Amino acid sequence: MTLGNVSEVSEYELKRQRLIEENKKLLEELGLAGDNERIAPISGYKSDDPPPRKKARSHPKRLSKLPVGPMRTSRRLKGEEPDDTVDIEAFLDQNDKMRQAAIALKIPSSQEQQPFDPAVISAPLTLVSIGTTIWSLGELYTGKGRSKYWSGRGCRYRHPYPVGFRASKQHFGNTYHMAIEKGDDGPVFKVQVNESKTIFEGATPTAPWTEACKKSKSQGTRVSGPLFYGFSDLVTMRMIERMEGYELAGTPEEQA
């Protein structure tokens, strides 16, 4: 506080000066008197190195939306006929047609036997629709478990499978001999290639034919077993209906 030319120091200022002097002496005694001058203020810190650049964030490339095709649906849901009613021309090559024509010259065809007259239909005969030659119908199984010897719902016609059925067909440049035998748990379908020991078998008509396709020159081709066996032809159905035991074969066991 200043009044005129006289300077007066307040009691507080005198006390502060004494504390500063005492602290200074203490620092000198400890050898730390000059350290506070060497410490750079934090707020004034500057680095000579340029700050690191931030990496640009990589954005994933947007994939173009691919057109989604229609989902596969069954032929039944689309109102189409089952697989065993497809056009056979898609399965036959020219050699097959020539061989079948040669067989038809030796064996009466289904057309020559008036197929819709049950009194005159008999084996052997060659089915015009598919070129399959039926050599023997065999006989119907009427014993225990006979319901297993009937075709499934996916077939064109509902019918019993005769045990001892024999047929042949030219396909893939080979002659395939088809047969139905009695098994422990239903019919066994067999397909033999030419006269060799190569025999494919399965629990359905399509099963052995699928294996035959895999071993053929056209491995990607698939055929319908009921179609190639001749069970998709109405002529075959007429012959089976005339077989002995047809009514009993279709009668449930509890009603027999």
Side-chain angles (χ1 to χ4, degrees):
M1 181 175 180
T2 304
L3 295 175
N5 294 327
V6 180
S7 298
E8 295 183 0
V9 180
S10 65
E11 185 67 23
Y12 170 79
E13 184 65 21
L14 291 174
K15 187 176 181 180
R16 190 177 71 84
Q17 291 294 336
R18 285 196 300 270
L19 288 174
I20 291 174
E21 292 297 329
E22 291 176 0
N23 290 335
K24 187 175 180 180
K25 289 180 181 181
L26 180 61
L27 290 174
E28 289 176 353
E29 292 175 359
L30 296 175
L32 302 175
D35 288 353
N36 58 340
E37 298 177 358
R38 294 193 298 269
I39 299 175
I42 296 176
S43 60
Y45 173 77
K46 292 184 179 180
S47 175
D48 295 335
D49 298 330
R53 293 183 178 181
K54 294 183 178 180
K55 293 184 178 180
R57 295 180 62 183
S58 59
H59 298 281
K61 295 182 179 180
R62 294 183 178 179
L63 299 177
S64 58
K65 294 183 178 180
L66 298 177
V68 180
M71 297 180 64
R72 294 184 62 184
T73 57
S74 66
R75 291 177 177 268
R76 179 179 60 81
L77 294 178
K78 293 189 294 185
E80 298 179 2
E81 293 180 325
D83 290 340
D84 61 354
T85 61
V86 295
D87 185 5
I88 188 56
E89 293 299 322
F91 293 134
L92 302 180
D93 57 26
Q94 190 61 32
N95 291 332
D96 290 332
K97 295 176 182 177
M98 293 175 63
R99 292 188 183 93
Q100 290 168 7
I103 294 176
L105 292 176
K106 301 177 183 179
I107 302 174
S109 68
S110 55
Q111 284 183 336
E112 294 172 349
Q113 294 199 29
Q114 301 177 12
F116 294 101
D117 185 355
V120 297
I121 301 175
S122 62
L125 83 164
T126 299
L127 300 173
V128 175
S129 63
I130 184 64
T132 295
T133 298
I134 299 176
W135 299 98
S136 174
L137 284 176
E139 58 184 19
L140 298 179
Y141 178 71
T142 57
K144 185 177 180 180
R146 56 180 173 268
S147 60
K148 297 179 181 179
Y149 286 78
W150 279 72
S151 61
R153 296 180 179 180
C155 296
R156 186 172 189 178
Y157 299 112
R158 178 74 169 157
H159 63 89
Y161 289 122
V163 176
F165 179 90
R166 296 288 184 274
S168 63
K169 176 172 175 51
Q170 300 287 334
H171 199 54
F172 297 133
N174 297 308
T175 299
Y176 292 88
H177 302 280
M178 296 168 280
I180 302 176
E181 298 180 1
K182 184 179 182 298
D184 296 333
D185 193 31
V188 177
F189 299 85
K190 294 186 176 182
V191 173
Q192 180 182 11
V193 184
N194 298 320
E195 303 299 333
S196 68
K197 295 182 180 180
T198 303
I199 300 176
F200 307 101
E201 62 180 61
T204 65
T206 300
W209 270 111
T210 299
E211 295 302 317
C213 290
K214 292 179 180 179
K215 300 295 183 180
S216 69
K217 298 178 181 178
S218 303
Q219 298 181 3
T221 303
R222 294 294 180 270
V223 299
S224 167
L227 180 68
F228 274 29
Y229 263 82
F231 295 134
S232 296
D233 195 303
L234 192 58
V235 174
T236 310
M237 295 299 101
R238 290 290 184 265
M239 291 193 295
I240 292 178
E241 290 172 359
R242 291 178 55 232
M243 295 179 67
E244 183 179 356
Y246 179 81
E247 294 295 334
L248 180 58
T251 303
E253 295 183 39
E254 59 272 13
Q255 298 180 12

